[in-house]
Amino acid sequence: KEIKFKERPCHILLQNENGPCPLLAAANVLLLKDSITLPSNCIGAGVITIDELLNVLAEKILTHHIQEVMDLFPTLQFGMDVNPKFTDGPTGVEYTPGLDAFDLLHMEMVHGWLLDPQSPEFCLVEGRTYNQLINAVIEGNDAGSTLEQNPNAPNHEELSTKANEGTIIHHFLESSGHQLTQYGLTVLHEYLKDDQMAVFFRNNHFNSLIKHQGHLYLLITDIGYASVGNIVWEKLDVIDGDTEYVNQEFQAPPPMQHHEVAHTATGEQLIANDLQSQADYQLALQLSQETTSTPPTTTNNSSSQPAAAASPPPLVASPPPA
């Protein structure tokens, strides 16, 4: 999709099927920073495959990291393990190899699933990761079951403590199940500088995040907005999902623009409509792959839609509006 960012025309990538894809969020941050450019054949065809995107990102990395990139990045198309910490700030997560991708691309991943230090359960959550809290809940459930079966167990006090702690932790995880707290939102505002970009993790999904004129915005990458030029960013100012959409100038679009999105069509249907037919889409994808030096992972089959040999459907950069 072609937009303007800081008065500069640029292309962003949209996702034609829902999924976690941290590669998409990272690539869009770099595109907005003008740190990478998409191949002209991909822009002309309106399609970029995972392989082509990997090549673009690999060129961004220093030569001595190339092998690490080629080993790590292909796995990120299927998602990334993220184990957040709730009291260590917006960058607090347990290290996993996938996080090296953001370090190699010189960007941060942040989250807002944070617990207010004034909360009564803070002492139980402090310094612990999501996985550790889940284990505490399981141990608490087991302890509670043991007490129900044997109220006079010799370690009654220890079991009772575990059961109570498990209940408190379970309540915290349930009440913040959307993976963003009001306190976390406040900390994100304080942490990011104006016009700073990062990859934002929430609800097991990755988005491109920017702070602009004191407000936080998420880049909209749903394929349903491919042809909606006046909707580019989503304001991140509440935790309940009651959001506000803005255009490339970070201003509210005309009200009628909110009704232009086709919510019922699938990503593949929207791509096909935008390129006039499935045949045109297949041709565009074929031309895109024939002009790249890397063997594509996407092959044609007897059906009307592309099939991925070793990866999900390709990420999509919609062509500039006519």
Side-chain angles (χ1 to χ4, degrees):
K1 180 175 181 178
E2 186 178 43
I3 66 169
K4 277 191 175 181
F5 182 68
K6 297 183 177 180
E7 303 301 323
R8 175 182 60 84
C10 67
H11 288 87
I12 60 172
L13 299 176
L14 308 181
Q15 194 164 6
N16 63 329
E17 282 197 2
N18 191 31
C21 203
L23 284 177
L24 181 75
N28 278 327
V29 168
L30 294 174
L31 287 167
L32 291 170
K33 288 183 175 181
D34 200 20
S35 296
I36 61 172
T37 56
L38 300 177
S40 58
N41 61 290
C42 294
I43 295 175
V47 176
I48 185 168
T49 65
I50 288 290
D51 284 347
E52 289 166 333
L53 181 58
L54 289 175
N55 287 338
V56 172
L57 294 176
E59 292 176 0
K60 172 68 179 173
I61 310 299
L62 296 177
T63 304
H64 61 276
H65 289 302
I66 288 297
Q67 188 58 49
E68 184 178 0
V69 170
M70 300 315 293
D71 290 340
L72 171 63
F73 279 34
T75 66
L76 302 184
Q77 61 187 291
F78 307 111
M80 176 190 295
D81 290 332
V82 177
N83 190 18
K85 299 179 180 180
F86 306 93
T87 60
D88 289 4
T91 60
V93 294
E94 182 184 54
Y95 170 78
T96 57
L99 295 174
D100 288 340
F102 300 125
D103 291 335
L104 291 170
L105 294 170
H106 304 292
M107 67 180 65
E108 286 187 310
M109 188 196 74
V110 298
H111 71 91
W113 200 358
L114 301 174
L115 180 62
D116 190 331
Q118 304 302 317
S119 299
E121 62 268 45
F122 186 85
C123 60
L124 296 179
V125 176
E126 185 177 12
R128 302 168 87 174
T129 67
Y130 172 80
N131 289 344
Q132 289 173 327
L133 292 189
I134 290 296
N135 288 335
V137 172
I138 294 174
E139 291 177 359
N141 290 339
D142 292 341
S145 298
T146 300
L147 287 175
E148 288 181 2
Q149 297 172 5
N150 185 9
N152 298 318
N155 55 344
H156 181 279
E157 184 174 348
E158 178 186 351
L159 292 174
S160 179
T161 298
K162 281 189 176 182
N164 290 334
E165 289 181 352
T167 299
I168 294 172
I169 292 172
H170 179 264
H171 179 266
F172 161 67
L173 293 176
E174 284 289 309
S175 63
S176 62
H178 37 64
Q179 300 182 6
L180 178 65
T181 64
Q182 192 61 51
Y183 173 76
L185 191 58
T186 300
V187 172
L188 280 173
H189 272 280
E190 296 172 349
Y191 181 78
L192 293 174
K193 300 176 182 177
D194 210 48
D195 287 329
Q196 181 180 350
M197 284 183 282
V199 173
F200 179 61
F201 174 78
R202 182 189 183 187
N203 290 334
N204 302 319
H205 194 77
F206 300 84
N207 294 96
S208 303
L209 173 71
I210 188 172
K211 182 178 180 181
H212 180 72
Q213 294 183 352
H215 296 283
L216 299 177
Y217 297 93
L218 299 173
L219 186 67
I220 296 176
T221 57
D222 191 302
I223 189 67
Y225 293 91
S227 59
V228 186
N230 267 345
I231 296 182
V232 177
W233 300 94
E234 174 186 355
K235 184 178 285 188
L236 183 64
D237 58 353
V238 292
I239 65 174
D240 59 5
D242 186 13
T243 190
E244 176 184 349
Y245 297 103
V246 298
N247 59 21
Q248 60 192 10
E249 305 294 337
F250 297 94
Q251 298 174 353
M256 62 179 297
Q257 297 292 334
H258 288 283
H259 305 290
E260 293 183 0
V261 183
H263 293 286
T264 57
T266 66
E268 296 298 334
Q269 289 169 339
L270 287 165
I271 296 172
N273 291 339
D274 195 47
L275 295 174
Q276 301 304 312
S277 68
Q278 285 283 0
D280 289 339
Y281 172 65
Q282 294 278 13
L283 178 60
L285 185 59
Q286 180 180 353
L287 291 174
S288 172
Q289 293 172 342
E290 287 177 350
T291 52
T292 183
S293 59
T294 302
T297 59
T298 304
T299 60
N300 290 330
N301 60 11
S302 57
S303 66
S304 60
Q305 295 187 356
S311 64
L315 303 177
V316 175
S318 68

